[in-house]
Amino acid sequence: MATLLDHAQRLLDAHPSRGVSPQSLAAVFQSASIQRLQGDDPFCEEGEAGDAMYFLMKGAVRVQRRDPRGKLRELAVIEAPALFGHMALIDNSPRSASCHAIGESIIATLDRATYSKVLSEPTSRGTALRRILLASLTRQLVGANHRIRGLIQPPAAPPEDSTESVEDFDVSNTDIMRVSGVLSGWKLDERTLRQAESMEVVFTDDQRRNRKNKPVT
């Protein structure tokens, strides 16, 4: 049977975070509530208060949201190891989607009070939580930016019958961040955007220099 240390190592392998040891991350897990789910067990419902974040240690989770007509749509399937649900704790927003387990799954739930306590600690587990959250948020933002940039990348030259120039298609990096943040349901102000831009530069540079880190896709 896998230990918390094993789960911590797997999560760090999937989400590299410099300066975080498996032992420190396992200490974060020790503060969480461990749930074993079966079948299609729900544990997070769209619209409810976001009062916890989750570490998926085993199995998979189906993420769904209702469209304007009320029909349930599948947004994604998250497979272990992963962390999610943390944006609700950061910006105090309600859950933007529902999550259900797929088959047998193990989830560590970190409630808001424990999250706030550990996050502010000057300890190795506090550092572990802060750094893995930063790595996850930055990876999400960089990935979303790349996908959006690919969708709105200006053409090398405008179509022959177009009256627009290449400059007319120019979109700033800040605009791309704003769009990706809105699409992700984040509450972005100018200060947050500046921090996100700085994180993207550091994260992208780290990806180039550290070959052990998985590239953003």
Side-chain angles (χ1 to χ4, degrees):
M1 181 179 294
T3 65
L4 293 182
L5 187 61
D6 294 331
H7 289 304
Q9 183 62 67
R10 291 172 186 169
L11 184 60
L12 288 174
D13 288 342
H15 301 273
S17 303
R18 288 187 297 175
V20 178
S21 69
Q23 291 79 8
S24 298
L25 187 55
V28 175
F29 294 164
Q30 289 175 341
S31 304
S33 172
I34 309 298
Q35 297 174 272
R36 294 180 180 273
L37 305 177
Q38 301 288 337
D40 196 35
D41 286 349
F43 62 91
C44 175
E45 294 295 335
E46 179 181 357
E48 70 181 10
D51 56 2
M53 66 168 292
Y54 308 98
F55 295 94
L56 180 61
M57 297 177 166
K58 177 183 178 181
V61 168
R62 179 178 291 108
V63 182
Q64 298 174 305
R65 179 189 294 172
R66 294 195 180 278
D67 64 19
R69 297 182 179 181
K71 186 174 182 179
L72 207 56
R73 302 285 186 178
E74 182 174 299
L75 301 180
V77 171
I78 302 173
E79 297 182 349
L83 66 155
F84 59 99
H86 38 295
M87 277 309 301
L89 295 180
I90 293 172
D91 65 6
N92 294 312
S93 58
R95 294 296 181 199
S96 59
S98 300
C99 297
H100 294 239
I102 300 176
E104 183 180 354
S105 301
I106 299 177
I107 294 175
T109 302
L110 199 65
D111 63 50
R112 181 180 292 276
T114 306
Y115 161 87
S116 299
K117 178 179 183 298
V118 175
L119 196 68
S120 62
E121 287 181 353
T123 61
S124 59
R125 74 169 184 172
T127 298
L129 180 59
R130 289 189 292 272
R131 290 190 176 180
I132 199 164
L133 282 174
L134 179 62
S136 175
L137 291 170
T138 306
R139 188 179 298 274
Q140 282 180 255
L141 188 58
V142 173
N145 288 353
H146 285 326
R147 289 190 292 273
I148 292 174
R149 188 176 285 110
L151 291 173
I152 61 178
Q153 188 73 31
E160 291 183 3
D161 59 349
S162 174
T163 59
E164 298 175 297
S165 66
V166 173
E167 288 74 16
D168 292 328
F169 290 92
D170 185 48
V171 179
S172 71
N173 195 51
T174 299
D175 289 335
I176 293 174
M177 283 197 172
R178 195 184 301 276
V179 171
S180 62
V182 170
L183 292 177
S184 300
W186 299 0
K187 296 177 181 177
L188 296 179
D189 53 23
E190 294 303 321
R191 179 173 175 272
T192 304
L193 283 169
R194 288 194 298 270
Q195 291 176 334
E197 287 178 325
S198 299
M199 287 191 297
E200 180 176 24
V201 171
V202 173
F203 183 79
T204 303
D205 183 58
D206 183 51
Q207 289 288 322
R208 286 196 296 265
R209 288 183 297 156
N210 188 350
R211 293 173 181 263
K212 292 182 180 180
N213 286 354
K214 295 182 179 179
V216 177
T217 56

